[in-house]
Amino acid sequence: MSHMARTPQQIGNLVRRARRQRGWNQTQLGLKANLRQETISLIENGNPATRLDTILAVLAALDVEFRVGPRSKSHAEAIEAIF
């Protein structure tokens, strides 16, 4: 399954959803990504200052990947409805 994210909040929602699907709490994900629970919370809450390498570590711990593709022409409301 593929999901699209255009904002830090949307990335955070996707991370939260993937974590919950695995039955993990934030501390467990933090241990797997070698990060503090507080960092996981910041990511899930859409902190725009999160470093890309930190997000990539979390995605790797969740066994999901980051992909880049052409931007769709959907309206913002349609994208927000996904979440």
Side-chain angles (χ1 to χ4, degrees), residues 27-67:
T27 300
Q28 291 169 308
L29 176 54
L31 289 170
K32 293 177 187 308
N34 201 27
L35 299 166
R36 299 177 317 138
Q37 175 273 326
E38 293 84 359
T39 302
I40 303 302
S41 178
L42 287 170
I43 292 168
E44 290 186 0
N45 285 304
N47 180 1
T50 304
R51 293 172 42 132
L52 182 58
D53 61 334
T54 302
I55 292 172
L56 293 174
V58 170
L59 296 178
L62 290 166
D63 199 29
V64 297
E65 62 186 11
F66 177 77
R67 295 181 187 209

Side-chain angles (χ1 to χ4, degrees), residues 18-29:
R19 175 181 58 77
R20 288 180 176 169
Q21 285 176 345
R22 285 154 183 76
W24 299 345
N25 61 36
Q26 290 179 344
T27 300
Q28 291 169 308
L29 176 54

Side-chain angles (χ1 to χ4, degrees), residues 4 6 69-75 79:
M4 177 176 39
R6 291 185 175 166
R71 191 173 181 108
S72 68
K73 303 299 179 198
S74 299
H75 296 285
I79 294 168

